[in-house]
Amino acid sequence: MTAKETIAAISTAHGKSAIGVIRVSGKNVLKITKDFIGSELKPRFATNVKIRDKSNTLIDDVIVIYYKGPSSYTGEDMLEIQSHGNPITMDFILEQICDVYARLSKPGEFTERAFLNNKIDLVQAEAIADLINASHISASKAAMITLQGNFSKNIKLLIEEVLTLRANIEACINFPEDDSPENSNKNNFNAINSLIAKLSKLIKSVDNGIVVNKTPIITIIGKPNVGKSSLANLLLGEQGSIVSSTPGTTRDALHHEVALAKNNITIIDTAGLRKTSDSIELQGIEITKKSINTASLVLYVVDDALGFDTEDRALITENKINNYWVVNNKIDLTGADPTMIKISNVSHFNISTTQNLGIDNLKKKLSENSVPDDETTGTARLRHREHLKSCLENLYMALDCNNNLQLELVAEELRLAHVSLVAIMGGDVNEDLLDKIFSDFCIGK
Amino acid sequence: MKKFDVIVIGGGHAGCEAAHAAARANVSVALVTMKHESIGQMSCNPAVGGIGKSHLAKEVDALDGLICKIADYSALQRRKLNASKGPAVQATRIQTCRDTYKLKMQQAIDAQKNLSVMEGMVSNIILDNEVLRGVVMSDGSKVFAKTVVLTTGTFLGGKIHIGDKSFSAGRLGDNASNALENFFKKHGFSLGRLKTGTPPRILKSSIDYSLLEEQGSDKNKPCLSYMHDHYGQTPNIISEIPCHITYTNNETHKIIKDNQALSPLYNGVIDSVGPRYCPSIEDKVERFYDKDAHQVFLEPETLSDKEIYPNGLSTCLPEDVQLSFLRTIKGLENCEITQPGYAIEYSYFDPRGLTKYLETKKIKNLFFAGQINGTTGYEEAAAQGIIAGINASCSVRNIGMWCPNRDQAYTGVMIDDLVTLGVTEPYRMFTSRAEHRLRLREDNADERLTAIGHKLGVVSSERLLFLKNKIKKIKAESKRLEEIKILPSSKVSSILEKKFNLKLKNVQTMKSLLKMSDIEYKDIQELESFGKTINSDVGHLVAIQERYEGYLKRQDQEVLNSLKTQNIKIPEQIIYNEIKGLSNEAKEKLSEVMPHTLGQASRISGVTPAIISLLRIYIKKHSS
Ligand SMILES: Cc1cc2nc3c(=O)[nH]c(=O)nc-3n(C[C@H](O)[C@H](O)[C@H](O)COP(=O)(O)OP(=O)(O)OC[C@H]3O[C@@H](n4cnc5c(N)ncnc54)[C@H](O)[C@@H]3O)c2cc1C
Ligand SMILES: Nc1nc2c(ncn2[C@@H]2O[C@H](COP(=O)(O)OP(=O)(O)O)[C@@H](O)[C@H]2O)c(=O)[nH]1
Ligand SMILES: [Mg+2]
C-alpha cells in the first residue's frame, strides 16, 4: 500500500459536551469538502455549514475548518468539523464520511501520521501516547507539559550546552595551529559541573514524571470475613471478587482498575490475613503480603462489632504497613455514625457495605488521595530516563578525566554524553558539532 | 591495440595510489594523465598530514601506499601536533618540497612493474551494451581495459576566478576536462558544483623576515611512514627551512572590506559552496569582523625556496587588491606576487552514487576516487585512491572487494560518510568524525590494516614481517612489565610516593603503573626494578595501549552490542515504497542511498530510530 487511507474520528471525549470535534485526515479531504460539504473551502478559515440528511432535514449547523497539508497537525490535508456535541449528530456525521471517503482511525493514528511526517519529534509523539494512556488528570497534565515541549526544551538546552563545550574542546584538538579558542582545565571543570547540576535536576523531574504516570494502587486487607470483598465490589461497582460467608474464600489478590471521580485507581482485594495451616490459603496470604508492598494506600477493614484489636495492630506492624486507613464495616449492626474520624493521625471510616452507609464519603476521600503531589513535571518515559542516566555517568567520567588532564578522554566522554541526549531528541552528532565549531571560531588557514 | 586490466585516469594523489596499488596486486595498469611532469603535483600547500589527515595518510602507508614515504623523502619540516594532548589525537605534519615530492612520486610510479604511464587527455568512456570497455583519448585513439578508475580532481568543468576575470581550467596552468564531463551528464550521473581557493604566492627575496617569529621542526622530527618510524631508518630532512608567522591587521581588513564587491565570492558570480574550514580571507574578515588580526604562516614551497606560500590568505580579489592588502602585513611591506590567489569552481559527483567499494552504481567496473567525489585534500584523495585501486584489481581477479569499517580506519569513516550522507561542502577529515577515535591512532594503523592488505595482495611479505616483528616486541615488553611486581613496602614504592604522590595499597605490576595519567614509560624506566629495556619506542607503544585499554574494552562491548543491529543486512531487492509507515522523505532518501546494512541506514540524515525499528521489523518479517 503506498497512498495512505483517509482516516476520521471524533476527537473530543464521548458523552455530553458543549462542542464536539470530528477530525479527518488524508487525501480524500478535498473530495469531502466538495461533495459532502458542497463548497470549496479556504484553508484555515472557519465556515458555517448546514448538514442535512437524505430527506433534507437539518441535522446540525456546524463549523468546518480546512487545513491544507503539509501545514496541518498530521502533515496531510485535514478537515475539522465542530458540531454541537450531541453524540447522535456526531455519529451521524462520522458515518456519512466513513461511508464513502474514509475509515475510522485507530487510537493514536493521527499522532502517528504527524510523527511520520516529521510534524512532531519523538518526545512529543511519546507524550501524546502517554496522554492517551494517562491514568488520571495529573498525569495528563504532565503529558501536556511534555507535549508543549517543556521537556524537549530542557533537553535542547542541555544539548546546546554540551555542544558549546565540545566545540571548544574539539576545536583545540582538531585545529591546534589555528587561532583556536582558549581551553582551560578550570573552564572545562565548571562547564561539566554546570551540566551535571542541570541534568541531575532534569532526571529528578523525570523520575517524578514516571511515578505520576502510574495508577495509584489501593490494597484492601483485614481479617477474614470482615467484608473486604464486599467493599471492593462496591468500589468497583460490579462483582469483582467472590463474596462469601466462609472465611478465606478470596485466595488470590484480584486487581481491578476503576475510575473514581476523574481519576483511575487500581484496587486489590486480598485474602484475609490470619494464622492458618491450609496450604492454599497460605499461598493467598503470601500474595496479600506482596500486594501490600506495591500499595500506595492500604484500607484496613475491621468488623465494627469486634473493633480494632491487638491482633489487628500486630498485623499492621508485622507487615510494616505505614500508609493505611482503618475501615470499620458492618455499622448497620452496631449503629455507629457513618462519618470519618482521625485517631492519632490515622483516618477511621465507619461504613456498611450492605446498607451503603458511609461509602460515598470513603470514595470521595479516596479520589482526592489518588492525585499525586507533583502536578508540574513533564512525563518522560523510561527510555528517556535511561539515556539521561547514561549521559550523567559520562559527565562524571569526563570530570574525572579532566582532573587527570586527559583531554582526549574528556572529549570521548562528552561525545558519549552528546550521543545519549541526541538519542532522545534526534539530531546529528557530527554535523551539529562541526556547525558549532565553524560558526563560533575562526578556523582555517 | 592497447589492452589493460585497469585504467586509472588522472595522475594526482588519488590516481597515483590507485594505479600503484593495482599494479602491486599484479594486474596490468595504465595510468593515463595529461602530463607526465605533473604526476604527483600538489595544487595547493605542499604539506602532508595534520590532525585527521596524517591518520588517513598512515592508513595508506599501512597498505604499502606511497604518500607517507614520498613525504618523508621530501621533507623540509617535520612536526608532531598535539604532543601534549594524548596519543589518540596526536598527528604528524610534514612540510615538503613541492618539486622533490613530485619528482619522487614520478620515480616511484615509473619504477613499478605492471604499471605504464600514458600521456594524454581522456575525452570519453567506451560502453558496449552497458559494459565498460575502456577510454577514448582526445586524439581519438582508444585504450581498452576491464576496469576504469576516474580520479580527475578539480578538472571536470573547472573554472578559475580572479577578480572579474574567469576562465576554464583544471587548476592554474592546466586545461579543464570538459569533454569527459559530457559523457557523465549524458549517462545521468548526478553532478554538483563546489569551490575552493588558494592564496597568492610571494617572492621570497621580497620578504623582510627580520621582525618575524620563526617556527622550526620538532626536536624528535617524526616521520609519517611506518617504514621510517617503526620499522627502520629515519631519512634526513632534505634541507631544514623554517616557517615564519605574521598577522593581518585592521588596515589589511579595511582594504579587503572596501573591495569586497570586487570579489566574485561576494558579488554573486560564485555561488557554489567552499569548505568552511578553509575560508577565504574575504570570508574571515566578513564573518569574524571583531577580530583585529588573523594569523598567517609563511611556508616554504620548494627546496630552491624562491616562492613562499602565505597560509591563511586564500583569496580571489583582483590581483592589484591582493598586492595592496599583502603590503599592509608586517614583513610583506615590499613583497612581490609570483602567482595570484584564485578561486576555482569545479564539478563533483554525488558520492551517494557509489557503493562503499567506490564502484559506481550506474556502471559496473567504473570506480571514482579523490576530489571528484566531493572531498578535498591530498590525504583524503590518496586514501580513496588506494581503496579504488585495490577494488578495481579485485574485480579483475574475481575476488571479493574490500572497504574498512568505521571502527577499523579513518578511511572507513570517510567512505561511509561519503556514500551514505553525500556532501554539502568539500569533505575534509576531522578526528571528531570518528566515533572510534581512541582506537584509530597514528601508532597502530599498521596493526589494523597491514595484514588485510597482505591478503589482498597489495602489501609485500617483507612489510608483513616488519609488522609481525613490531607486534612481537610489543607483546614481549608488555609481558615483561607485567611480570615485574612492586611491593607496597619496597624502595620503589616510596619513590613513587615521593615523585607521583602515588600510595600503593597492594602489590602492583610495573605495567599497571602506565595506567596512571601522569606516569610515562620514561618515568618507569628510571625505576630501579625496571630491568633491561628492549627499545623505548616499543615501550611507548605499550604505554599507549595501557592508557586506552579500559576505553577500548568498553567500546568493544558497544561495538558488539550495536553490531547486532548495525550489521543486519538490508536485502538488495528491498522496495522502500512498499513499506507501510515510512515517511515519503525517508522512502526517498533510503531509495537513493540503498544502504547495505541497518547501521548505514541509521546514519542517513533524517532517518530516525523509529524508522530503523520499522525497517528491522520489516526485514525480519520478510526474511522468513
Ligand atoms: C586551487 C586549489 C586549492 C586547493 N586548496 C586546498 C587546501 O587549501 N587544502 C586542501 O587540503 N586541499 C586543497 N586542494 C585540494 C587538493 O589539491 C586536492 O584535493 C587533491 O589534489 C585531489 O587529488 P586528486 O587525485 O583527486 O586530484 P588532482 O590532484 O587534482 O589530480 C587530478 C589529475 O587528473 C588529471 N586529469 C584531469 N582530467 C584528465 C583527463 N581528462 N584525462 C587525463 N588526465 C586528467 C590531471 O592532469 C591531474 O593529474 C586544493 C586544490 C586546488 C586546485
Ligand atoms: N451486616 C453486614 N454484613 C456484611 C457487611 N459487609 C459484608 N457483610 C457480610 O460479611 C460476610 C463476609 O463478607 P466478605 O466480603 O466475603 O468478607 P472478606 O472475607 O473480608 O472478603 C458476607 O456474608 C457479607 O454479606 C455489612 O456492612 N453489614
Ligand atoms: Mg474476601
Side-chain angles (χ1 to χ4, degrees), chain B residues 10 12-14 43-44 53 122 152-153 155 177 371 376-378:
Chain B
H13 307 273
S43 334
C44 204
K53 287 169 159 278
V122 172
T152 48
F155 286 63
S177 273
Q371 189 138 357
T376 172
Y378 314 126

mmCIF file with all atom_site columns, all heavy atoms in Angstrom, chain B residues 10 12-14 43-44 53 122 152-153 155 177 371 376-378, ligand 1:
data_model
loop_
_atom_site.group_PDB
_atom_site.id
_atom_site.type_symbol
_atom_site.label_atom_id
_atom_site.label_alt_id
_atom_site.label_comp_id
_atom_site.label_asym_id
_atom_site.label_entity_id
_atom_site.label_seq_id
_atom_site.pdbx_PDB_ins_code
_atom_site.Cartn_x
_atom_site.Cartn_y
_atom_site.Cartn_z
_atom_site.occupancy
_atom_site.B_iso_or_equiv
_atom_site.pdbx_formal_charge
_atom_site.auth_seq_id
_atom_site.auth_comp_id
_atom_site.auth_asym_id
_atom_site.auth_atom_id
_atom_site.pdbx_PDB_model_num
ATOM   1   N N   . GLY B 1 10  ? 44.065 10.083 -14.507 1.00 0.00 ? 10  GLY B N   1
ATOM   2   C CA  . GLY B 1 10  ? 44.486 11.166 -13.628 1.00 0.00 ? 10  GLY B CA  1
ATOM   3   C C   . GLY B 1 10  ? 45.665 10.774 -12.756 1.00 0.00 ? 10  GLY B C   1
ATOM   4   O O   . GLY B 1 10  ? 45.596 9.788  -12.032 1.00 0.00 ? 10  GLY B O   1
ATOM   5   N N   . GLY B 1 12  ? 46.981 12.424 -10.165 1.00 0.00 ? 12  GLY B N   1
ATOM   6   C CA  . GLY B 1 12  ? 47.053 13.187 -8.915  1.00 0.00 ? 12  GLY B CA  1
ATOM   7   C C   . GLY B 1 12  ? 47.257 12.234 -7.746  1.00 0.00 ? 12  GLY B C   1
ATOM   8   O O   . GLY B 1 12  ? 47.765 11.119 -7.911  1.00 0.00 ? 12  GLY B O   1
ATOM   9   N N   . HIS B 1 13  ? 46.841 12.667 -6.575  1.00 0.00 ? 13  HIS B N   1
ATOM   10  C CA  . HIS B 1 13  ? 47.124 11.881 -5.371  1.00 0.00 ? 13  HIS B CA  1
ATOM   11  C C   . HIS B 1 13  ? 46.271 10.638 -5.280  1.00 0.00 ? 13  HIS B C   1
ATOM   12  O O   . HIS B 1 13  ? 46.714 9.607  -4.781  1.00 0.00 ? 13  HIS B O   1
ATOM   13  C CB  . HIS B 1 13  ? 46.978 12.783 -4.153  1.00 0.00 ? 13  HIS B CB  1
ATOM   14  C CG  . HIS B 1 13  ? 47.802 14.012 -4.323  1.00 0.00 ? 13  HIS B CG  1
ATOM   15  N ND1 . HIS B 1 13  ? 49.116 14.070 -3.957  1.00 0.00 ? 13  HIS B ND1 1
ATOM   16  C CD2 . HIS B 1 13  ? 47.530 15.195 -4.943  1.00 0.00 ? 13  HIS B CD2 1
ATOM   17  C CE1 . HIS B 1 13  ? 49.619 15.245 -4.312  1.00 0.00 ? 13  HIS B CE1 1
ATOM   18  N NE2 . HIS B 1 13  ? 48.661 15.958 -4.912  1.00 0.00 ? 13  HIS B NE2 1
ATOM   19  N N   . ALA B 1 14  ? 45.044 10.722 -5.769  1.00 0.00 ? 14  ALA B N   1
ATOM   20  C CA  . ALA B 1 14  ? 44.189 9.534  -5.791  1.00 0.00 ? 14  ALA B CA  1
ATOM   21  C C   . ALA B 1 14  ? 44.679 8.587  -6.877  1.00 0.00 ? 14  ALA B C   1
ATOM   22  O O   . ALA B 1 14  ? 44.834 7.379  -6.648  1.00 0.00 ? 14  ALA B O   1
ATOM   23  C CB  . ALA B 1 14  ? 42.734 9.932  -6.038  1.00 0.00 ? 14  ALA B CB  1
ATOM   24  N N   . SER B 1 43  ? 48.493 20.785 -5.764  1.00 0.00 ? 43  SER B N   1
ATOM   25  C CA  . SER B 1 43  ? 47.857 22.000 -6.301  1.00 0.00 ? 43  SER B CA  1
ATOM   26  C C   . SER B 1 43  ? 47.911 23.133 -5.312  1.00 0.00 ? 43  SER B C   1
ATOM   27  O O   . SER B 1 43  ? 47.785 24.289 -5.674  1.00 0.00 ? 43  SER B O   1
ATOM   28  C CB  . SER B 1 43  ? 46.390 21.766 -6.624  1.00 0.00 ? 43  SER B CB  1
ATOM   29  O OG  . SER B 1 43  ? 46.127 20.439 -6.907  1.00 0.00 ? 43  SER B OG  1
ATOM   30  N N   . CYS B 1 44  ? 48.035 22.783 -4.065  1.00 0.00 ? 44  CYS B N   1
ATOM   31  C CA  . CYS B 1 44  ? 47.931 23.842 -3.063  1.00 0.00 ? 44  CYS B CA  1
ATOM   32  C C   . CYS B 1 44  ? 49.152 23.764 -2.169  1.00 0.00 ? 44  CYS B C   1
ATOM   33  O O   . CYS B 1 44  ? 50.250 23.508 -2.620  1.00 0.00 ? 44  CYS B O   1
ATOM   34  C CB  . CYS B 1 44  ? 46.610 23.671 -2.318  1.00 0.00 ? 44  CYS B CB  1
ATOM   35  S SG  . CYS B 1 44  ? 46.023 25.192 -1.572  1.00 0.00 ? 44  CYS B SG  1
ATOM   36  N N   . LYS B 1 53  ? 44.288 14.122 9.034   1.00 0.00 ? 53  LYS B N   1
ATOM   37  C CA  . LYS B 1 53  ? 44.856 13.829 7.722   1.00 0.00 ? 53  LYS B CA  1
ATOM   38  C C   . LYS B 1 53  ? 46.035 12.864 7.819   1.00 0.00 ? 53  LYS B C   1
ATOM   39  O O   . LYS B 1 53  ? 46.176 11.962 6.997   1.00 0.00 ? 53  LYS B O   1
ATOM   40  C CB  . LYS B 1 53  ? 45.303 15.117 7.039   1.00 0.00 ? 53  LYS B CB  1
ATOM   41  C CG  . LYS B 1 53  ? 44.134 15.951 6.549   1.00 0.00 ? 53  LYS B CG  1
ATOM   42  C CD  . LYS B 1 53  ? 44.621 17.323 6.142   1.00 0.00 ? 53  LYS B CD  1
ATOM   43  C CE  . LYS B 1 53  ? 43.659 18.019 5.206   1.00 0.00 ? 53  LYS B CE  1
ATOM   44  N NZ  . LYS B 1 53  ? 43.816 17.605 3.809   1.00 0.00 ? 53  LYS B NZ  1
ATOM   45  N N   . VAL B 1 122 ? 41.845 12.115 -21.570 1.00 0.00 ? 122 VAL B N   1
ATOM   46  C CA  . VAL B 1 122 ? 40.728 11.213 -21.848 1.00 0.00 ? 122 VAL B CA  1
ATOM   47  C C   . VAL B 1 122 ? 39.500 12.062 -22.154 1.00 0.00 ? 122 VAL B C   1
ATOM   48  O O   . VAL B 1 122 ? 39.188 12.991 -21.411 1.00 0.00 ? 122 VAL B O   1
ATOM   49  C CB  . VAL B 1 122 ? 40.459 10.299 -20.640 1.00 0.00 ? 122 VAL B CB  1
ATOM   50  C CG1 . VAL B 1 122 ? 39.178 9.498  -20.853 1.00 0.00 ? 122 VAL B CG1 1
ATOM   51  C CG2 . VAL B 1 122 ? 41.636 9.375  -20.390 1.00 0.00 ? 122 VAL B CG2 1
ATOM   52  N N   . THR B 1 152 ? 39.994 12.519 -11.584 1.00 0.00 ? 152 THR B N   1
ATOM   53  C CA  . THR B 1 152 ? 40.383 13.737 -12.304 1.00 0.00 ? 152 THR B CA  1
ATOM   54  C C   . THR B 1 152 ? 40.334 15.009 -11.470 1.00 0.00 ? 152 THR B C   1
ATOM   55  O O   . THR B 1 152 ? 40.423 16.110 -12.012 1.00 0.00 ? 152 THR B O   1
ATOM   56  C CB  . THR B 1 152 ? 39.509 13.911 -13.555 1.00 0.00 ? 152 THR B CB  1
ATOM   57  O OG1 . THR B 1 152 ? 38.154 13.723 -13.173 1.00 0.00 ? 152 THR B OG1 1
ATOM   58  C CG2 . THR B 1 152 ? 39.865 12.895 -14.615 1.00 0.00 ? 152 THR B CG2 1
ATOM   59  N N   . GLY B 1 153 ? 40.189 14.880 -10.150 1.00 0.00 ? 153 GLY B N   1
ATOM   60  C CA  . GLY B 1 153 ? 40.316 16.049 -9.272  1.00 0.00 ? 153 GLY B CA  1
ATOM   61  C C   . GLY B 1 153 ? 39.357 17.175 -9.606  1.00 0.00 ? 153 GLY B C   1
ATOM   62  O O   . GLY B 1 153 ? 38.166 16.972 -9.788  1.00 0.00 ? 153 GLY B O   1
ATOM   63  N N   . PHE B 1 155 ? 39.321 18.888 -12.268 1.00 0.00 ? 155 PHE B N   1
ATOM   64  C CA  . PHE B 1 155 ? 39.432 19.208 -13.697 1.00 0.00 ? 155 PHE B CA  1
ATOM   65  C C   . PHE B 1 155 ? 38.110 19.184 -14.452 1.00 0.00 ? 155 PHE B C   1
ATOM   66  O O   . PHE B 1 155 ? 37.994 19.781 -15.508 1.00 0.00 ? 155 PHE B O   1
ATOM   67  C CB  . PHE B 1 155 ? 40.438 18.272 -14.377 1.00 0.00 ? 155 PHE B CB  1
ATOM   68  C CG  . PHE B 1 155 ? 41.860 18.606 -14.031 1.00 0.00 ? 155 PHE B CG  1
ATOM   69  C CD1 . PHE B 1 155 ? 42.314 18.508 -12.727 1.00 0.00 ? 155 PHE B CD1 1
ATOM   70  C CD2 . PHE B 1 155 ? 42.739 19.052 -15.005 1.00 0.00 ? 155 PHE B CD2 1
ATOM   71  C CE1 . PHE B 1 155 ? 43.627 18.826 -12.395 1.00 0.00 ? 155 PHE B CE1 1
ATOM   72  C CE2 . PHE B 1 155 ? 44.048 19.375 -14.694 1.00 0.00 ? 155 PHE B CE2 1
ATOM   73  C CZ  . PHE B 1 155 ? 44.499 19.270 -13.390 1.00 0.00 ? 155 PHE B CZ  1
ATOM   74  N N   . SER B 1 177 ? 38.789 19.510 -18.088 1.00 0.00 ? 177 SER B N   1
ATOM   75  C CA  . SER B 1 177 ? 38.358 18.325 -18.828 1.00 0.00 ? 177 SER B CA  1
ATOM   76  C C   . SER B 1 177 ? 36.886 18.434 -19.140 1.00 0.00 ? 177 SER B C   1
ATOM   77  O O   . SER B 1 177 ? 36.078 17.866 -18.436 1.00 0.00 ? 177 SER B O   1
ATOM   78  C CB  . SER B 1 177 ? 38.496 17.092 -17.946 1.00 0.00 ? 177 SER B CB  1
ATOM   79  O OG  . SER B 1 177 ? 39.694 16.512 -17.985 1.00 0.00 ? 177 SER B OG  1
ATOM   80  N N   . GLN B 1 371 ? 39.066 13.948 -5.316  1.00 0.00 ? 371 GLN B N   1
ATOM   81  C CA  . GLN B 1 371 ? 38.289 15.180 -5.207  1.00 0.00 ? 371 GLN B CA  1
ATOM   82  C C   . GLN B 1 371 ? 36.995 15.153 -6.023  1.00 0.00 ? 371 GLN B C   1
ATOM   83  O O   . GLN B 1 371 ? 36.048 15.844 -5.683  1.00 0.00 ? 371 GLN B O   1
ATOM   84  C CB  . GLN B 1 371 ? 39.158 16.381 -5.635  1.00 0.00 ? 371 GLN B CB  1
ATOM   85  C CG  . GLN B 1 371 ? 38.514 17.717 -5.360  1.00 0.00 ? 371 GLN B CG  1
ATOM   86  C CD  . GLN B 1 371 ? 39.477 18.742 -4.800  1.00 0.00 ? 371 GLN B CD  1
ATOM   87  O OE1 . GLN B 1 371 ? 40.633 18.454 -4.551  1.00 0.00 ? 371 GLN B OE1 1
ATOM   88  N NE2 . GLN B 1 371 ? 39.005 19.939 -4.580  1.00 0.00 ? 371 GLN B NE2 1
ATOM   89  N N   . THR B 1 376 ? 38.288 17.064 -0.314  1.00 0.00 ? 376 THR B N   1
ATOM   90  C CA  . THR B 1 376 ? 39.401 17.953 -0.591  1.00 0.00 ? 376 THR B CA  1
ATOM   91  C C   . THR B 1 376 ? 40.591 17.469 0.213   1.00 0.00 ? 376 THR B C   1
ATOM   92  O O   . THR B 1 376 ? 40.432 16.892 1.281   1.00 0.00 ? 376 THR B O   1
ATOM   93  C CB  . THR B 1 376 ? 39.063 19.411 -0.240  1.00 0.00 ? 376 THR B CB  1
ATOM   94  O OG1 . THR B 1 376 ? 40.251 20.193 -0.351  1.00 0.00 ? 376 THR B OG1 1
ATOM   95  C CG2 . THR B 1 376 ? 38.540 19.528 1.172   1.00 0.00 ? 376 THR B CG2 1
ATOM   96  N N   . GLY B 1 377 ? 41.766 17.667 -0.309  1.00 0.00 ? 377 GLY B N   1
ATOM   97  C CA  . GLY B 1 377 ? 42.969 17.275 0.420   1.00 0.00 ? 377 GLY B CA  1
ATOM   98  C C   . GLY B 1 377 ? 43.659 16.088 -0.228  1.00 0.00 ? 377 GLY B C   1
ATOM   99  O O   . GLY B 1 377 ? 43.018 15.218 -0.802  1.00 0.00 ? 377 GLY B O   1
ATOM   100 N N   . TYR B 1 378 ? 44.997 16.088 -0.126  1.00 0.00 ? 378 TYR B N   1
ATOM   101 C CA  . TYR B 1 378 ? 45.793 15.013 -0.723  1.00 0.00 ? 378 TYR B CA  1
ATOM   102 C C   . TYR B 1 378 ? 45.543 13.688 -0.026  1.00 0.00 ? 378 TYR B C   1
ATOM   103 O O   . TYR B 1 378 ? 45.441 12.648 -0.661  1.00 0.00 ? 378 TYR B O   1
ATOM   104 C CB  . TYR B 1 378 ? 47.285 15.344 -0.615  1.00 0.00 ? 378 TYR B CB  1
ATOM   105 C CG  . TYR B 1 378 ? 47.637 16.756 -1.017  1.00 0.00 ? 378 TYR B CG  1
ATOM   106 C CD1 . TYR B 1 378 ? 48.357 17.593 -0.171  1.00 0.00 ? 378 TYR B CD1 1
ATOM   107 C CD2 . TYR B 1 378 ? 47.227 17.258 -2.255  1.00 0.00 ? 378 TYR B CD2 1
ATOM   108 C CE1 . TYR B 1 378 ? 48.672 18.883 -0.541  1.00 0.00 ? 378 TYR B CE1 1
ATOM   109 C CE2 . TYR B 1 378 ? 47.530 18.552 -2.629  1.00 0.00 ? 378 TYR B CE2 1
ATOM   110 C CZ  . TYR B 1 378 ? 48.249 19.361 -1.765  1.00 0.00 ? 378 TYR B CZ  1
ATOM   111 O OH  . TYR B 1 378 ? 48.543 20.646 -2.133  1.00 0.00 ? 378 TYR B OH  1
HETATM 112 C C1  . LIG C 2 .   ? 43.249 25.817 -6.164  1.00 0.00 ? 1   LIG C C1  1
HETATM 113 C C2  . LIG C 2 .   ? 43.216 24.654 -5.261  1.00 0.00 ? 1   LIG C C2  1
HETATM 114 C C3  . LIG C 2 .   ? 43.282 24.870 -3.911  1.00 0.00 ? 1   LIG C C3  1
HETATM 115 C C4  . LIG C 2 .   ? 43.243 23.814 -3.022  1.00 0.00 ? 1   LIG C C4  1
HETATM 116 N N1  . LIG C 2 .   ? 43.330 24.088 -1.717  1.00 0.00 ? 1   LIG C N1  1
HETATM 117 C C5  . LIG C 2 .   ? 43.392 23.085 -0.841  1.00 0.00 ? 1   LIG C C5  1
HETATM 118 C C6  . LIG C 2 .   ? 43.554 23.367 0.526   1.00 0.00 ? 1   LIG C C6  1
HETATM 119 O O1  . LIG C 2 .   ? 43.642 24.506 0.919   1.00 0.00 ? 1   LIG C O1  1
HETATM 120 N N2  . LIG C 2 .   ? 43.594 22.343 1.401   1.00 0.00 ? 1   LIG C N2  1
HETATM 121 C C7  . LIG C 2 .   ? 43.493 21.074 0.979   1.00 0.00 ? 1   LIG C C7  1
HETATM 122 O O2  . LIG C 2 .   ? 43.543 20.164 1.811   1.00 0.00 ? 1   LIG C O2  1
HETATM 123 N N3  . LIG C 2 .   ? 43.344 20.775 -0.304  1.00 0.00 ? 1   LIG C N3  1
HETATM 124 C C8  . LIG C 2 .   ? 43.298 21.758 -1.228  1.00 0.00 ? 1   LIG C C8  1
HETATM 125 N N4  . LIG C 2 .   ? 43.155 21.461 -2.543  1.00 0.00 ? 1   LIG C N4  1
HETATM 126 C C9  . LIG C 2 .   ? 42.810 20.107 -2.849  1.00 0.00 ? 1   LIG C C9  1
HETATM 127 C C10 . LIG C 2 .   ? 43.880 19.132 -3.180  1.00 0.00 ? 1   LIG C C10 1
HETATM 128 O O3  . LIG C 2 .   ? 44.794 19.693 -4.019  1.00 0.00 ? 1   LIG C O3  1
HETATM 129 C C11 . LIG C 2 .   ? 43.101 18.039 -3.863  1.00 0.00 ? 1   LIG C C11 1
HETATM 130 O O4  . LIG C 2 .   ? 42.088 17.576 -3.007  1.00 0.00 ? 1   LIG C O4  1
HETATM 131 C C12 . LIG C 2 .   ? 43.891 16.839 -4.259  1.00 0.00 ? 1   LIG C C12 1
HETATM 132 O O5  . LIG C 2 .   ? 44.944 17.187 -5.028  1.00 0.00 ? 1   LIG C O5  1
HETATM 133 C C13 . LIG C 2 .   ? 42.957 15.925 -5.019  1.00 0.00 ? 1   LIG C C13 1
HETATM 134 O O6  . LIG C 2 .   ? 43.624 14.855 -5.572  1.00 0.00 ? 1   LIG C O6  1
HETATM 135 P P1  . LIG C 2 .   ? 43.044 14.115 -6.817  1.00 0.00 ? 1   LIG C P1  1
HETATM 136 O O7  . LIG C 2 .   ? 43.941 12.995 -7.072  1.00 0.00 ? 1   LIG C O7  1
HETATM 137 O O8  . LIG C 2 .   ? 41.618 13.815 -6.574  1.00 0.00 ? 1   LIG C O8  1
HETATM 138 O O9  . LIG C 2 .   ? 43.075 15.169 -7.990  1.00 0.00 ? 1   LIG C O9  1
HETATM 139 P P2  . LIG C 2 .   ? 44.262 16.080 -8.563  1.00 0.00 ? 1   LIG C P2  1
HETATM 140 O O10 . LIG C 2 .   ? 45.424 16.100 -7.663  1.00 0.00 ? 1   LIG C O10 1
HETATM 141 O O11 . LIG C 2 .   ? 43.640 17.360 -8.932  1.00 0.00 ? 1   LIG C O11 1
HETATM 142 O O12 . LIG C 2 .   ? 44.692 15.312 -9.843  1.00 0.00 ? 1   LIG C O12 1
HETATM 143 C C14 . LIG C 2 .   ? 43.900 15.226 -10.997 1.00 0.00 ? 1   LIG C C14 1
HETATM 144 C C15 . LIG C 2 .   ? 44.757 14.653 -12.111 1.00 0.00 ? 1   LIG C C15 1
HETATM 145 O O13 . LIG C 2 .   ? 43.917 14.234 -13.159 1.00 0.00 ? 1   LIG C O13 1
HETATM 146 C C16 . LIG C 2 .   ? 44.497 14.631 -14.406 1.00 0.00 ? 1   LIG C C16 1
HETATM 147 N N5  . LIG C 2 .   ? 43.395 14.740 -15.343 1.00 0.00 ? 1   LIG C N5  1
HETATM 148 C C17 . LIG C 2 .   ? 42.301 15.513 -15.205 1.00 0.00 ? 1   LIG C C17 1
HETATM 149 N N6  . LIG C 2 .   ? 41.451 15.320 -16.230 1.00 0.00 ? 1   LIG C N6  1
HETATM 150 C C18 . LIG C 2 .   ? 42.041 14.415 -17.043 1.00 0.00 ? 1   LIG C C18 1
HETATM 151 C C19 . LIG C 2 .   ? 41.661 13.807 -18.257 1.00 0.00 ? 1   LIG C C19 1
HETATM 152 N N7  . LIG C 2 .   ? 40.515 14.077 -18.865 1.00 0.00 ? 1   LIG C N7  1
HETATM 153 N N8  . LIG C 2 .   ? 42.491 12.910 -18.824 1.00 0.00 ? 1   LIG C N8  1
HETATM 154 C C20 . LIG C 2 .   ? 43.663 12.600 -18.232 1.00 0.00 ? 1   LIG C C20 1
HETATM 155 N N9  . LIG C 2 .   ? 44.058 13.146 -17.073 1.00 0.00 ? 1   LIG C N9  1
HETATM 156 C C21 . LIG C 2 .   ? 43.269 14.043 -16.489 1.00 0.00 ? 1   LIG C C21 1
HETATM 157 C C22 . LIG C 2 .   ? 45.221 15.906 -14.104 1.00 0.00 ? 1   LIG C C22 1
HETATM 158 O O14 . LIG C 2 .   ? 46.232 16.145 -15.020 1.00 0.00 ? 1   LIG C O14 1
HETATM 159 C C23 . LIG C 2 .   ? 45.742 15.614 -12.689 1.00 0.00 ? 1   LIG C C23 1
HETATM 160 O O15 . LIG C 2 .   ? 46.983 14.979 -12.771 1.00 0.00 ? 1   LIG C O15 1
HETATM 161 C C24 . LIG C 2 .   ? 43.142 22.499 -3.472  1.00 0.00 ? 1   LIG C C24 1
HETATM 162 C C25 . LIG C 2 .   ? 43.056 22.271 -4.834  1.00 0.00 ? 1   LIG C C25 1
HETATM 163 C C26 . LIG C 2 .   ? 43.101 23.333 -5.716  1.00 0.00 ? 1   LIG C C26 1
HETATM 164 C C27 . LIG C 2 .   ? 43.028 23.053 -7.187  1.00 0.00 ? 1   LIG C C27 1
#
